[in-house]
Amino acid sequence: MYTTLLVQIENGTCIITINRPDKLNALNKTVITELSAAVDTVYSNNEIKSAIITGAGAKAFVAGADISEFLELNAAQGEELARRGQQLVFDKIENCPKPIVAAVNGFALGGGCELALSCHFIYASENAKFGQPEVNLGLIPGYGGTQRLTQLVGKNRSMELIMTGNMLSAQEAMSYGIVNKVMTAEELLPKTKETLQLIQSKAPLAIKAVIESVNNFDHTQNGYDFEIKKFGECFATEDLKEGASAFLEKRKPVFKGK
Ligand code: COA
């Protein structure tokens, strides 16, 4: 049983809601440990085909790492906090073979912005706000923000956002390419579920290969070579035979994830 998360499975989609609304869903040690376990379940439970990460309450997705845990830490412990979080949660989300979408419903600040960035893509409600305000605390992002944000929005915008600590509105975040779609708060979960149902109708091993290949994005020939290898691997699956046959026979494919 989780104490800081609500987890439910609906039509193959695991909805993970971070549930500390009185602390704006800040990521304390327990949330990190429980998120790690919840994402492990997404990996291992065959009933789960996709996942959504969102925050409880109308105000916040996640307002960052829990600042009340910072005062006692020395340099080695600070490093360990970041390494543990990245390994247990952020890298695991990014590399999950099943799609994980962030449904951002309010403040996504610091570790909250980084949590959204580690998901495969982001939908947001109109009241969402994104930012990396760590410099206000004498800190820098430690859950991958300097890397994922830079990859997504480019060096200059990343520098400005992280150095000023300014927040972006949902619309601004969309214009930066951080958010794919902005909608009303009421539409956010239903539309995210709808997109995941569409993805769930595709061949699961092809979706896994898409995630691996896009995550392996590389400016050098390595990225292209990786894609070529993954493309080839699809030909070893039953689903490719099914998908191509179904197209030629003018019928809907029935994918088995094999
Ligand atoms: N860590 C721990 N507690 C947090 C938190 C965080 N990152 N963000 C918010 N909270 C707590 C507040 O301390 C407050 O708790 P209290 O009611 O026991 O005093 C509660 O959540 C509500 O937050 P509050 O600041 O009163 O709400 P607000 O509407 O005035 O402001 C924010 C909202 C998001 C602008 C403000 O909470 C904030 O700046 N949070 C920190 C963001 C941040 O720096 N994140 C990066 C951390 S590395």
Side-chain angles (χ1 to χ4, degrees), residues 22-24 26 59 63-68 70 107 109-110 133-134 137 167:
D22 54 327
K23 295 289 177 192
L24 305 189
K59 205 167 159 185
D66 193 319
I67 299 167
S68 68
F70 285 175
F107 291 113
L109 301 177
E134 287 88 349
L137 306 167
M167 290 187 213

Side-chain angles (χ1 to χ4, degrees), residues 18-112:
I18 299 158
N19 188 29
R20 298 181 75 208
D22 54 327
K23 295 289 177 192
L24 305 189
N25 304 320
L27 303 174
N28 64 10
K29 271 194 190 137
T30 311
V31 179
I32 293 291
T33 303
E34 294 192 349
L35 263 178
S36 176
V39 177
D40 283 342
T41 309
V42 175
Y43 272 70
S44 62
N45 182 339
N46 291 335
E47 198 194 323
I48 298 174
K49 312 291 183 202
S50 68
I52 296 172
I53 298 182
T54 193
K59 205 167 159 185
F61 172 71
V62 167
D66 193 319
I67 299 167
S68 68
E69 292 181 345
F70 285 175
L71 279 177
E72 307 302 322
L73 303 184
N74 62 27
Q77 289 164 327
E79 190 176 323
E80 183 52 25
L81 178 92
R83 180 168 291 111
R84 183 173 178 274
Q86 292 206 26
Q87 287 172 350
L88 282 182
V89 176
F90 296 77
D91 294 350
K92 222 190 265 177
I93 291 171
E94 181 168 73
N95 295 316
C96 182
K98 303 171 188 178
I100 303 185
V101 178
V104 175
N105 55 314
F107 291 113
L109 301 177

Side-chain angles (χ1 to χ4, degrees), residues 104-109 113 122-132 149 153 157 161 164-183:
V104 175
N105 55 314
F107 291 113
L109 301 177
C113 187
I122 303 173
Y123 282 177
S125 60
E126 291 157 338
N127 69 328
K129 291 223 182 309
F130 294 81
Q132 298 287 163
L149 188 65
V153 306
R157 282 179 157 172
L161 266 176
T164 60
N166 282 346
M167 290 187 213
L168 296 176
S169 68
Q171 285 297 340
E172 286 169 327
M174 190 161 69
S175 76
Y176 272 42
I178 295 173
V179 165
N180 287 15
K181 277 188 189 155
V182 178
M183 53 205 92

